[in-house]
Amino acid sequence: VTIQQSQSQFQSQVMKFYIILLLGFLTAVAAEQGTAGKQQDVNALLWKIYQPLHRNRLKKLTCGFSPISSTSIYTDEGVAAKKIVDEFNCENLLEQKKYFSLFNPKHREETLMLFELFMSCKTWDPCIRNNAAYFRERINENVFVYALYVTVIHHPLGDGVVLPPLYEVTPHMFTNREIIDRAYSAKMTQNPGKFQMNFTGTWKNPEQRVAYFGEDIGINVHHVSWHMDYPFWWKDNYGYHLDRKGELFFWAHHQMTVRYDAERLSNNLNPVHEIYWNKPIDEGFAPHTTYKYGGEFPSRPDNVDIADVDGVAKVREVMAWERRIRDAIANGYVTGRDGKQFSILHDRGIDMLGNIIEQSEYSPDRAYYGGLHNMAHIIIGRQGDPKGKFDQLPSVMEHFETATRDPAFFQVHKYINNMFKELKDKLPPYTREDMMWNGIELEDISVDGNLLTYFEDFEFSLKNALDDSVSVSDVDIMAVVKRINHKEFSYMLRILSKRNEEVDATVRIFMCPRRDNNKILYSLESGRWGCIEMDKFWKKLYPGGNILHRHSNDSTVTVPDVPSFS
Ligand SMILES: *[C@@H]1O[C@H](CO)[C@@H](O)[C@H](O)[C@H]1NC(C)=O
Ligand SMILES: *[C@@H]1O[C@H](CO)[C@@H](O)[C@H](O)[C@H]1NC(C)=O
């Protein structure tokens, strides 16, 4: 547990919070209809994306509207709208009923055209709403879904709208072929059904013991949501700067990796090891997932040597990027395009390192430092068919919602984490003054209840995976999947304050591994890299004894599931 004096801006943040809350309350009455209407639009737009819009109100918009007839609805005089309409008229855009991958530069360019059009909208109705209805019927369905999600997240007009759970919008990306087959059969015979979804593979594969983690629909949604909140392609001219994006890239993936290691340790497996470009990938993977259109996700056998991927990248090139990044860490600075040096040996250095490794638009020199993270996803994902001889589709590694299924995902992120650790280890150690808070003493900490995990059944609707027709109507078809949950518990902290005024404290709680897979005790120094953030909160400390209770439900690292929209 760490207890630190909150920064002085704490007071003003609290004030801001109250003020926003107050404003929110005052405007809520007037704006309520607006948000409810937007919510209905979003739900209708994302319902059965492979079929024409079903809601009459929106359906009407898809014919009578032209994105470029009135440019006054845009902040850029229709520049973004004109661009995508031109591309569409020249038939340059990805057709419907084809796969989409954000890692494909052409696909990404298209989805950003649509996103830029939405971002240039002054109003929801007519601009975002009509354009969304218009393009939904015309461009690739998955391009549309991605563009609409990131718009609702980032456009101020999307505030208050709840995005439906992605596993119900594009169920193919979250379940496997076996379930989809049964769902089709249930629909054709008009028999409602619930199908138990099993994790891919068999117990002959030791990695199967932790498949529940990589294939968990919660971690899949967490991962894709993080990358939508902090897209690598984000440019500040969309409206604002994404603060500490590079650092959060590290933190989000580091936490996923240490969580994975904790699950491995509890299943008698070694911690995941990092990938080496010049050694084989020991773990193969057969995803059993299938695209809505185009076929199955490709597999990879065990022990493949990492080969160049035709038309994408050479392993040598990626190793050169790694060298340059390691040199930057060793030197303590990175260089920009103009040769200017920026030190990274300070508390913002990790942010810059994250931007470089992820291949963010924020990288000071994208040509020189390359795109280690994104390219690693593509290269590892293509190792089943690196020469492209068999015309396979993009792998699970090439979609944020499926990447964690492949054990190699965590090997890649262990490799990246270790680079961040190299930088961390070069920073000067915290001083006693950094760590101490005079007059504040943590006297006792205890946990009421055990941190006991268990599996429970979770159901989600597969309706949107299946097409309708006049003669075949919807029936209830659900996937049932085991998900890990935990029993409730709470922390109790006894803190003595010898200060004679109230102070604001930030409490951070971590859980760290105690023994490794050989049952050898970790030292603080070696174990701390595996610590899992459990909670972080603010509390007032009063002079004298303070007792803080904190319930596991309130943890800032967990969220409830988004309600079903089916
Ligand atoms: C999942 O496993 C259970 C138990 O082995 C089996 O009854 C069920 O049919 C499997 N589900 C699928 C979709 O294969
Ligand atoms: C914690 O959350 C669970 C699930 O939502 C709920 O059933 C339970 O009552 C909550 N416990 C407390 C103490 O709020």
Side-chain angles (χ1 to χ4, degrees):
V1 176
T2 73
I3 298 172
Q4 280 170 346
Q5 183 156 24
S6 294
Q7 305 297 319
S8 50
Q9 74 255 34
F10 174 75
Q11 204 65 40
S12 66
Q13 275 173 359
V14 173
M15 283 305 290
K16 240 191 319 202
F17 179 67
Y18 281 129
I19 290 169
I20 291 168
L21 213 65
L22 198 67
L23 285 176
F25 179 73
L26 291 177
T27 51
V29 184
E32 194 178 28
Q33 191 53 40
T35 306
K38 289 177 194 174
Q39 185 70 57
Q40 283 172 1
D41 290 345
V42 167
N43 289 1
L45 288 163
L46 292 171
W47 183 256
K48 301 241 180 210
I49 52 159
Y50 303 104
Q51 296 205 282
L53 265 172
H54 72 293
R55 261 185 67 192
N56 291 340
R57 198 164 62 101
L58 286 173
K59 178 86 196 152
K60 279 195 222 100
L61 306 176
T62 66
C63 39
F65 173 78
S66 156
I68 46 175
S69 64
S70 157
T71 53
S72 65
I73 59 176
Y74 304 109
T75 52
D76 67 348
E77 277 138 27
V79 175
K82 188 155 177 336
K83 184 167 162 199
I84 187 166
V85 168
D86 284 349
E87 294 287 325
F88 178 74
N89 290 340
C90 298
E91 295 182 8
N92 275 344
L93 300 183
L94 183 64
E95 295 153 52
Q96 297 199 320
K97 314 218 184 308
K98 290 260 165 41
Y99 75 81
F100 156 76
S101 167
L102 189 66
F103 286 103
N104 177 318
K106 175 84 180 63
H107 294 183
R108 185 164 67 242
E109 202 183 313
E110 273 179 37
T111 195
L112 293 191
M113 278 183 213
L114 185 56
F115 171 72
E116 285 167 15
L117 173 151
F118 287 143
M119 288 304 275
S120 73
C121 276
K122 288 182 187 164
T123 57
W124 182 275
D125 184 4
C127 191
I128 292 184
R129 179 163 175 258
N130 291 20
N131 273 302
Y134 181 90
F135 281 104
R136 184 192 188 278
E137 307 295 274
R138 287 169 175 79
I139 69 169
N140 181 275
E141 302 86 346
N142 295 104
V143 166
F144 171 78
V145 169
Y146 184 79
L148 187 65
Y149 265 76
V150 285
T151 300
V152 171
I153 293 169
H154 292 286
H155 200 301
L157 292 170
D159 286 357
V161 175
V162 179
L163 284 160
L166 261 179
Y167 46 78
E168 289 190 347
V169 176
T170 51
H172 281 76
M173 306 295 273
F174 295 86
T175 186
N176 45 37
R177 183 186 65 214
E178 291 82 354
I179 293 291
I180 295 288
D181 286 350
R182 290 192 186 196
Y184 267 111
S185 147
K187 174 113 182 198
M188 294 317 287
T189 54
Q190 294 281 291
N191 278 321
K194 282 188 187 174
F195 302 112
Q196 181 73 44
M197 182 170 141
N198 299 324
F199 301 112
T200 311
T202 71
W203 296 112
K204 284 187 184 169
N205 178 9
E207 296 295 312
Q208 181 71 14
R209 294 179 219 162
V210 287
Y212 66 85
F213 188 80
E215 294 180 28
D216 178 75
I217 59 168
I219 197 128
N220 298 155
V221 166
H222 164 70
H223 187 229
V224 67
S225 306
W226 189 87
H227 281 282
M228 286 175 168
D229 289 350
Y230 295 94
F232 62 85
W233 46 260
W234 182 267
K235 299 192 194 85
D236 284 357
N237 62 10
Y238 294 139
Y240 49 92
H241 181 75
L242 294 174
D243 188 36
R244 294 163 85 196
K245 182 155 82 85
E247 180 179 0
L248 287 170
F249 165 74
F250 156 69
W251 185 244
H253 290 88
H254 175 64
Q255 285 295 299
M256 281 169 68
T257 309
V258 297
R259 270 294 310 268
Y260 182 64
D261 271 346
E263 300 300 333
R264 293 178 70 90
L265 282 181
S266 10
N267 282 285
N268 300 312
L269 291 170
N270 299 347
V272 70
H273 59 76
E274 65 179 293
I275 209 142
Y276 288 89
W277 296 111
N278 49 7
K279 285 190 192 167
I281 317 172
D282 49 0
E283 301 300 343
F285 182 60
H288 287 237
T289 27
T290 163
Y291 283 92
K292 170 79 177 170
Y293 295 107
E296 310 239 316
F297 282 78
S299 313
R300 178 187 65 240
D302 281 347
N303 297 315
V304 294
D305 287 316
I306 305 179
D308 295 344
V309 177
D310 271 18
V312 175
K314 290 199 170 5
V315 173
R316 196 196 295 143
E317 196 178 357
V318 181
M319 288 168 89
W321 295 339
E322 175 188 330
R323 180 80 267 146
R324 290 171 197 166
I325 294 167
R326 290 222 136 92
D327 281 348
I329 298 169
N331 290 331
Y333 62 83
V334 298
T335 41
R337 270 180 290 274
D338 53 2
K340 208 170 137 197
Q341 296 176 354
F342 304 94
S343 164
I344 51 173
L345 294 183
H346 51 78
D347 57 1
R348 303 291 292 203
I350 195 154
D351 194 36
M352 222 178 276
L353 188 64
N355 290 335
I356 284 174
I357 293 178
E358 195 195 3
Q359 190 178 33
S360 156
E361 290 282 333
Y362 291 171
S363 167
D365 190 347
R366 282 156 48 90
Y368 182 68
Y369 293 111
L372 196 61
H373 166 259
N374 287 2
M375 201 49 90
H377 271 262
I378 301 174
I379 291 186
I380 301 302
R382 293 292 173 94
Q383 290 306 310
D385 179 20
K387 298 213 178 313
K389 283 161 59 175
F390 310 114
D391 193 21
Q392 298 216 327
L393 299 173
S395 64
V396 293
M397 286 291 280
E398 291 158 83
H399 298 275
F400 289 125
E401 56 271 66
T402 51
T404 59
R405 292 171 172 266
D406 189 336
F409 169 86
F410 294 101
Q411 299 181 4
V412 166
H413 279 283
K414 191 51 106 45
Y415 157 75
I416 289 176
N417 274 355
N418 287 347
M419 275 186 218
F420 282 106
K421 188 166 190 299
E422 277 175 39
L423 175 67
K424 289 270 184 195
D425 288 345
K426 266 190 78 99
L427 296 175
Y430 291 116
T431 61
R432 206 184 142 71
E433 287 65 46
D434 289 332
M435 302 305 288
M436 296 305 290
W437 188 4
N438 279 336
I440 305 291
E441 233 169 83
L442 174 63
E443 295 183 299
D444 189 25
I445 168 159
S446 61
V447 181
D448 185 17
N450 290 323
L451 172 48
L452 201 66
T453 56
Y454 60 95
F455 284 101
E456 67 183 11
D457 280 342
F458 181 81
E459 295 179 2
F460 64 97
S461 167
L462 296 174
K463 273 189 190 161
N464 282 336
L466 306 165
D467 299 334
D468 291 337
S469 71
V470 188
S471 54
V472 188
S473 54
D474 257 335
V475 289
D476 268 330
I477 301 174
M478 313 287 277
V480 185
V481 63
K482 296 253 176 274
R483 287 178 74 185
I484 199 165
N485 200 349
H486 65 87
K487 297 267 192 235
E488 291 172 30
F489 60 95
S490 56
Y491 310 97
M492 194 276 297
L493 278 67
R494 210 169 71 223
I495 300 169
L496 179 67
S497 170
K498 294 180 188 148
R499 313 281 294 229
N500 42 24
E501 76 279 32
E502 267 174 41
V503 287
D504 295 309
T506 303
V507 181
R508 293 191 182 83
I509 302 180
F510 296 89
M511 180 168 70
C512 306
R514 205 162 151 66
R515 289 176 189 276
D516 70 9
N517 48 312
N518 297 316
K519 310 268 182 283
I520 296 169
L521 214 54
Y522 277 113
S523 66
L524 185 61
E525 175 54 23
S526 59
R528 73 184 163 88
W529 195 248
C531 291
I532 297 166
E533 180 179 351
M534 300 291 284
D535 208 345
K536 175 168 67 192
F537 55 93
W538 288 331
K539 275 278 192 267
K540 277 206 183 305
L541 299 180
Y542 300 96
N546 291 267
I547 296 198
L548 313 186
H549 291 281
R550 177 81 172 175
H551 195 269
S552 57
N553 277 14
D554 302 326
S555 170
T556 46
V557 298
T558 58
V559 287
D561 289 301
V562 179
S564 164
F565 88 131
S566 74

